[in-house]
Amino acid sequence: MSTFEELGLSPEICQAVNDLGFKTPTEVQQRAIPTILASQRDLVALAQTGTGKTGAFGMPVLQQVDANSDNVQVLVLSPTRELAIQIEKDLKDFSRHQKGIRTLAVYGGTSIGSQISALKRGVQVVIGTPGRMLDLIKRGKLDVTNVRSLVLDEADEMLNMGFQDDLDAILHDTPKEKQTLLFSATMPNQISKIARKYMNNPEEIQVSARNSGALNVEHHYYMVQARDRYDALKRVVDVNPDIYGIIFCRTRRETSDIAASLAKDGYDVDWLNGDLSQSQRDDVMNRFRTGELQLLVATDVAARGLDVDSLTHVINYNLPDDLEVYIHRSGRTGRAGNSGISISIINTREKNKIRALEKMSGKDFIKQDVPSGKEVCGVRMMDMVEKLRTTEVNEKQIEKYLPEVYERLSDLGWQDLIKHFVSMEFNQILEYYEQAGDINASAGKSNKKNKRNSSNKGSRNSGGRSNSRSAEEGFTRYFLNVGGRDGLNPARLMGVVNEQMNGKKPDFGKIDIQNNFSFFEVEEGFDSKLFDSMNGSKFEGREIAVELAKPDTNGASSSNNNNGSSSKRSGKGKRKSKGKEPFAKSSGGRIKKKRKADVYA
């Protein structure tokens, strides 16, 4: 095993690496650093997320910077703001003992003026997203004519995000005589084209298998009917009380819908997608990194650059369309010597995707049964008991209250006292899961037992899909002209309603998603507000119509409401959850409408 000194790195950089606590270089660092230092030959490095890529290109290019010149000598292009910020932080750390080295991260969603001012003062290393970097070049504020090293980090993701034209423009403006370093987890055709067009006979190194996953990660999957996906997610989270993880969704809308549902159910959760401003993204990420948030619901793009070593789980609420993205997702856990679990919730038509992932990654995917309500209750109860047992007692703090407490509880024996305590803590969770059915599904078969729990009418997650024709007491039943074929599910339905309605949001009762239409219940007293805000708005391009549901003998429903007004509304805020279930930690999630950022998804 080589040392950093043996790789040819300067004493200043080796000292910085030692300060950071790194003892031995990773495989990609061992292979890339000597190549970059030994010649000006271009390099294509294929390595997965979390393998030390930033150090592999960062340390050698910093060593080659002329600190006596204020010219921009190194460009590092990254797909997202978060990753650009993370790379700049790492490069600052690596160069802490090199005098005169200045770095700058440039990205959208923040003032371009401050970035221009920093460029005027002189920097040698610029890290940024393609859109902002090209903008600065076109304005004449970023001079790239003296660039010696050009790094394309996570190049496959930049292409996936549609940055091909921007990359072409930036690369075209840089000198032909430079060293180009391309780092990517995969080698799609577009990357090969860039290598052929802009690189000169590049050397290629590949760390481990091109599409393999992290060694410390177990891969599990749960198979349910599509309509039971959120219920399965909730049970998986409930049965892992100490979970600290990311839930990956396909779309921005889905992230906010799922996060809103989990927040209503009491979890410390927030969401991360391209609709957030930079300050909002920073706030979410800081709270997640510090453990204030237990769960983060994110799109693939938004989670780039989120470097957290202690994640216990990654949950794929939906498998990605491009299965190679799964490798990126699963690599977010099982880092820095820790173990992790990557979970996928699939429907009965996605079994072939699991087989493809097994072949791609060379890993076995373990089929797990979605836990029953009884299993969830048992795990949560024993977790609570263990925390109670290990709670440190500070007698000085409580001693003045103990005599009255003893007196009030004197008529209860210790067994009765335990029963009272358990009942107080768990009546609601036991009631919630009392009628929870088996939602496991078998591929190719209809699972008639897949019924959601309908006992908890105030729950944000569908609260049941019974075909009962009358609303529960205190709730009103509505007909909606959008159904499963439009991509509607309970979480998205609730997200749409809450997004369109101003002010106080209703609690939901039963939700029944059919193929072409749906029924849903909300607490009484919201008729006018619901009709006014929902009718005329759109879901996936289809105009929404909401009516009071009126049962008839044929089981059909609804007549038009007489509330003729309708208006399209947008930008309504999502509320912060007030209530919380007893089986969650706390309701910490800020769920509210965010301003769309000016760069990327």
Side-chain angles (χ1 to χ4, degrees):
M1 178 69 72
S2 300
T3 64
F4 287 103
E5 290 82 358
E6 291 171 338
L7 296 180
L9 292 170
S10 67
E12 291 82 7
I13 291 179
C14 289
Q15 183 180 349
V17 170
N18 185 65
D19 293 344
L20 295 169
F22 299 132
K23 303 301 181 184
T24 55
T26 65
E27 182 181 353
V28 70
Q29 291 167 356
Q30 290 183 61
R31 299 182 63 183
I33 290 174
T35 300
I36 297 170
L37 290 175
S39 71
Q40 283 299 301
R41 187 176 176 185
D42 293 345
L43 174 68
V44 174
L46 302 177
Q48 301 297 331
T49 299
T51 55
K53 288 186 294 181
T54 304
F57 65 75
M59 289 185 272
V61 299
L62 285 169
Q63 183 163 313
Q64 295 172 329
V65 168
D66 179 3
N68 295 318
S69 170
D70 286 339
N71 292 329
V72 175
Q73 301 165 46
V74 178
L75 289 185
V76 182
L77 286 157
S78 82
T80 68
R81 290 171 287 190
E82 283 72 33
L83 185 55
I85 293 168
Q86 183 64 44
I87 292 171
E88 196 216 5
K89 177 182 179 298
D90 291 341
L91 297 189
K92 280 185 179 294
D93 288 339
F94 295 145
S95 61
R96 62 175 61 179
H97 298 297
Q98 290 179 281
K99 293 182 179 179
I101 301 293
R102 295 179 298 280
T103 64
L104 174 67
V106 297
Y107 45 86
T110 189
S111 170
I112 195 170
S114 61
Q115 296 171 5
I116 291 173
S117 297
L119 289 170
K120 287 180 178 179
R121 291 192 295 271
V123 296
Q124 295 98 356
V125 183
V126 177
I127 310 100
T129 54
R132 178 53 63 91
M133 197 172 285
L134 184 57
D135 187 6
L136 289 165
I137 292 172
K138 288 181 176 179
R139 292 178 184 227
K141 305 302 181 183
L142 174 58
D143 180 4
V144 297
T145 57
N146 296 291
V147 167
R148 300 178 181 179
S149 301
L150 174 69
V151 182
L152 304 177
D153 190 24
E154 306 228 10
D156 51 344
E157 274 305 303
M158 283 191 276
L159 296 180
N160 288 339
M161 294 165 59
F163 285 131
Q164 175 77 64
D165 292 342
D166 290 350
L167 290 178
D168 286 344
I170 294 169
L171 291 170
H172 183 270
D173 285 343
T174 55
K176 289 185 178 181
E177 298 300 321
K178 64 179 180 299
Q179 187 175 37
T180 302
L181 311 173
L182 190 155
F183 283 74
S184 180
T186 60
M187 191 70 171
N189 290 333
Q190 303 101 308
I191 294 291
S192 298
K193 289 178 181 177
I194 286 182
R196 289 194 299 268
K197 186 175 181 180
Y198 293 106
M199 303 180 78
N200 181 26
N201 187 29
E203 181 171 343
E204 181 176 324
I205 63 174
Q206 182 176 319
V207 176
S208 300
R210 187 174 292 184
N211 293 311
S212 65
L215 296 176
N216 298 345
V217 178
E218 286 189 11
H219 302 266
H220 299 173
Y221 71 95
Y222 297 83
M223 187 182 296
V224 298
Q225 300 294 337
R227 63 180 180 267
D228 292 317
R229 198 182 296 271
Y230 179 81
D231 200 20
L233 170 67
K234 189 158 185 331
R235 294 194 196 184
V236 168
V237 171
D238 282 343
V239 85
N240 291 282
D242 297 322
I243 188 171
Y244 177 42
I246 302 176
I247 301 169
F248 281 104
C249 296
R250 280 200 188 108
T251 65
R252 301 179 187 187
R253 171 64 66 86
E254 200 170 51
T255 60
S256 57
D257 289 349
I258 298 303
S261 298
L262 289 170
K264 177 65 186 290
D265 284 336
Y267 296 94
D268 293 326
V269 61
D270 212 328
W271 51 274
L272 192 68
N273 66 31
D275 284 339
L276 278 68
S277 69
Q278 186 60 41
S279 62
Q280 291 166 334
R281 297 167 75 88
D282 291 343
D283 175 65
V284 172
M285 293 178 67
N286 287 337
R287 290 191 294 123
F288 185 61
R289 284 195 179 102
T290 58
E292 181 182 338
L293 298 176
Q294 184 181 14
L295 296 167
L296 183 67
V297 188
T299 57
D300 293 292
V301 171
R304 289 287 175 177
L306 181 59
D307 192 12
V308 181
D309 290 335
S310 54
L311 297 183
T312 62
H313 292 76
V314 164
I315 299 178
N316 299 278
Y317 189 76
N318 292 109
L319 287 175
D321 295 322
D322 179 358
L323 295 184
E324 288 189 342
V325 173
Y326 176 89
I327 304 300
H328 286 290
R329 292 181 176 183
S330 62
R332 294 291 165 187
T333 186
R335 305 178 72 167
N338 298 315
S339 60
I341 298 175
S342 178
I343 291 173
S344 298
I345 302 173
I346 68 170
N347 62 44
T348 54
R349 298 183 300 277
E350 294 179 307
K351 188 69 178 289
N352 61 324
K353 289 188 177 181
I354 295 296
R355 297 293 166 252
L357 284 170
E358 287 183 319
K359 184 177 180 180
M360 178 187 295
S361 65
K363 303 294 179 72
D364 291 328
F365 281 56
I366 305 167
K367 187 178 186 299
Q368 302 281 8
D369 287 333
V370 180
S372 66
K374 182 178 180 181
E375 289 174 310
V376 172
C377 291
V379 169
R380 301 296 299 205
M381 187 174 295
M382 290 305 103
D383 179 67
M384 182 274 294
V385 169
E386 182 60 22
K387 288 177 179 176
L388 174 68
R389 191 182 68 82
T390 57
T391 296
E392 184 177 346
V393 176
N394 188 330
E395 294 199 20
K396 287 187 177 181
Q397 277 188 327
I398 63 174
E399 60 183 354
K400 61 182 178 182
Y401 306 106
L402 288 178
E404 185 176 354
V405 172
Y406 292 151
E407 181 180 350
R408 292 196 178 199
L409 298 177
S410 61
D411 58 332
L412 294 176
W414 69 270
Q415 291 182 327
D416 288 333
L417 190 61
I418 291 174
K419 290 177 185 178
H420 279 263
F421 174 76
V422 170
S423 295
M424 179 182 70
E425 290 293 318
F426 273 86
N427 273 355
Q428 285 183 277
I429 185 174
L430 293 172
E431 181 183 349
Y432 180 90
Y433 279 113
E434 183 180 7
Q435 299 178 25
D438 179 9
I439 61 173
N440 290 287
S442 300
K445 296 181 181 180
S446 174
N447 188 355
K448 295 182 179 180
K449 293 183 178 180
N450 287 354
K451 295 181 180 179
R452 294 178 66 97
N453 168 33
S454 61
S455 63
N456 205 4
K457 64 187 179 183
S459 174
R460 177 76 177 254
N461 59 322
S462 86
R465 287 184 172 82
S466 167
N467 287 324
S468 170
R469 295 298 186 236
S470 59
E472 294 187 29
E473 183 179 355
F475 285 75
T476 302
R477 186 173 174 85
Y478 299 92
F479 169 85
L480 175 66
N481 67 328
V482 179
R485 73 172 185 176
D486 304 296
L488 190 71
N489 59 35
R492 295 195 73 182
L493 186 151
M494 291 180 285
V496 169
V497 173
N498 281 331
E499 186 176 79
Q500 297 301 324
M501 295 180 70
N502 274 323
K504 182 179 184 295
K505 305 300 189 291
D507 280 336
F508 287 83
K510 296 177 181 178
I511 296 177
D512 181 10
I513 306 291
Q514 300 294 324
N515 189 43
N516 299 315
F517 56 87
S518 304
F519 296 97
F520 65 99
E521 297 176 6
V522 299
E523 60 180 302
E524 292 177 346
F526 281 84
D527 289 6
S528 297
K529 190 175 181 182
L530 190 67
F531 296 144
D532 184 52
S533 60
M534 291 289 290
N535 285 318
S537 62
K538 289 188 177 181
F539 178 81
E540 300 294 348
R542 185 176 178 185
E543 188 167 308
I544 290 176
V546 177
E547 306 169 356
L548 285 173
K550 293 186 178 180
D552 62 26
T553 56
N554 295 320
S557 101
S558 75
S559 64
N560 291 332
N561 69 73
N562 295 320
N563 201 330
S565 63
S566 67
S567 61
K568 181 177 179 178
R569 301 176 186 269
S570 62
K572 308 300 185 290
K574 285 181 171 62
R575 65 186 170 112
K576 179 178 179 181
S577 169
K578 296 296 184 183
K580 65 177 181 177
E581 299 292 347
F583 45 97
K585 286 178 65 178
S586 67
S587 178
R590 170 194 39 74
I591 306 295
K592 59 185 179 182
K593 189 70 176 178
K594 309 295 192 304
R595 178 176 65 83
K596 184 175 181 179
D598 62 1
V599 178
Y600 84 91

